[in-house]
Amino acid sequence: MSQEQPSAIVPVDATPVRLLKRALLSVAGPFYFLFIAFVPLLCARRPGFRGWYWRTVKRACTRLLNLLSIKVAITQAERDALAADENSVIVINHRSHLDGFTLMDAVPDQKWFTFAAKKELCDAKLLSTGFKGAGLVEIDRRSGKVAMETLSEAVGTMPPRRSVVLFPEGTRTKTQSLGEFKAGAVLVARETGRTIRPILILNSDRLLPKGRFFPLSGTVTLKVLPPFHCDPDATPDEDVARLRAQMMAVFDAETAATHT
């Protein structure tokens, strides 16, 4: 049975504290962003950079959410499940621009993950060193076949504790439900023999809806589901439908519990 989740838009901090934090963010935020963005230009090729940079970016996401008075709700059992997770592809629904930050905050240090980024971003002069040093997977979207081959090859060579994060809906969902899933994650999992680790994000769109620049204070909830195993006797489309149905059942139950 689902536990009742905290209301998303109940402020995490008292008003004076929120105002003080946001004032601090407006002053210190740009300097911190420049540090994160440009330090790879100086040390991306040094031994151990990727692990150090991964932890630095994680801490930066945690500090950002704290200064925005946004709390990430995830149980200790779910953190432990992610800490022990290996040989998986992470699949998460997409509600708002807060999603990546909340995932970075919630995942324990024992579990590494990376994102797939379009090739144009990875080729940008100011971003390429950091992106490549951090291990982002370059995807050329001009060819779906080449993109899948590149992604499968990258995932196939990742160490067990590292996972790529994929958003099967492809973009932020505009409805209150889950969008239709694309087959990419299932195809990669089947090609590499990895399981799929589904994660649901709830309420991030209530704090930062599309078109809003600055988020409200409140709570974003993450639900870590059991590993999903592709069925070799089923078609990819059947696996996609089964994955979405399992995530949809939990999403509906958690959403109902949040609004009661």
Side-chain angles (χ1 to χ4, degrees):
M1 182 179 296
S2 299
Q3 295 179 345
E4 184 175 349
Q5 300 299 326
S7 177
I9 54 177
V10 174
V12 170
D13 297 312
T15 300
V17 176
R18 295 202 308 275
L19 294 176
L20 179 61
K21 282 185 174 182
R22 298 201 175 200
L24 178 60
L25 176 62
S26 66
V27 174
F31 295 99
Y32 203 68
F33 171 79
L34 289 174
F35 172 79
I36 293 296
F38 288 104
V39 71
L41 297 176
L42 303 176
C43 55
R45 294 174 177 82
R46 293 183 180 181
F49 167 78
R50 184 168 294 181
W52 173 83
Y53 193 62
W54 162 255
R55 291 187 295 272
T56 300
V57 173
K58 270 180 56 63
R59 303 296 182 267
C61 291
T62 298
R63 293 189 186 100
L64 173 65
L65 293 176
N66 181 268
L67 290 174
L68 291 171
S69 296
I70 293 174
K71 177 183 177 182
V72 180
I74 180 173
T75 67
Q76 186 58 50
E78 289 168 325
R79 287 187 189 274
D80 292 343
L82 284 178
D85 182 80
E86 291 188 342
N87 291 309
S88 72
V89 174
I90 292 178
V91 164
I92 184 169
N93 61 314
H94 199 5
R95 308 299 300 179
S96 84
H97 287 315
L98 289 173
D99 298 345
F101 297 100
T102 55
L103 186 60
M104 290 288 282
D105 173 76
V107 173
D109 287 346
Q110 298 94 320
K111 177 65 181 178
W112 284 22
F113 64 83
T114 188
F115 294 94
K118 59 183 180 180
K119 191 175 185 300
E120 293 82 354
L121 288 177
C122 294
D123 288 341
K125 291 183 178 179
L126 293 179
L127 300 175
S128 61
T129 303
F131 280 0
K132 293 175 182 178
L136 266 68
V137 180
E138 299 181 35
I139 299 296
D140 188 346
R141 294 185 177 180
R142 291 176 297 179
S143 170
K145 181 180 179 181
V146 172
M148 286 304 306
E149 290 176 351
T150 302
L151 186 57
S152 294
E153 181 180 355
V155 172
T157 59
M158 287 180 183
R161 74 165 174 165
R162 184 178 298 150
S163 299
V164 68
V165 176
L166 299 176
F167 298 96
E169 297 158 305
T171 186
R172 287 172 291 167
T173 306
K174 298 179 181 180
T175 68
Q176 294 304 309
S177 183
L178 299 185
E180 293 300 318
F181 280 16
K182 301 181 185 301
V186 164
L187 293 175
V188 170
R190 291 165 72 106
E191 179 71 22
T192 60
R194 290 197 169 207
T195 60
I196 293 176
R197 172 67 74 168
I199 299 178
L200 282 168
I201 189 163
L202 301 160
N203 302 322
S204 64
D205 55 324
R206 298 182 69 192
L207 301 186
L208 187 62
K210 196 168 185 178
R212 184 183 178 91
F213 176 74
F214 217 73
L216 299 170
S217 171
T219 301
V220 177
T221 299
L222 261 65
K223 301 300 297 180
V224 179
L225 279 59
F228 175 91
H229 298 270
C230 294
D231 183 354
D233 296 324
T235 67
D237 286 344
E238 289 172 336
D239 272 339
V240 171
R242 184 164 58 93
L243 172 63
R244 184 178 183 276
Q246 290 185 12
M247 295 180 67
M248 193 69 191
V250 179
F251 182 88
D252 288 344
E254 294 296 329
T255 300
T258 301
H259 290 81
T260 56

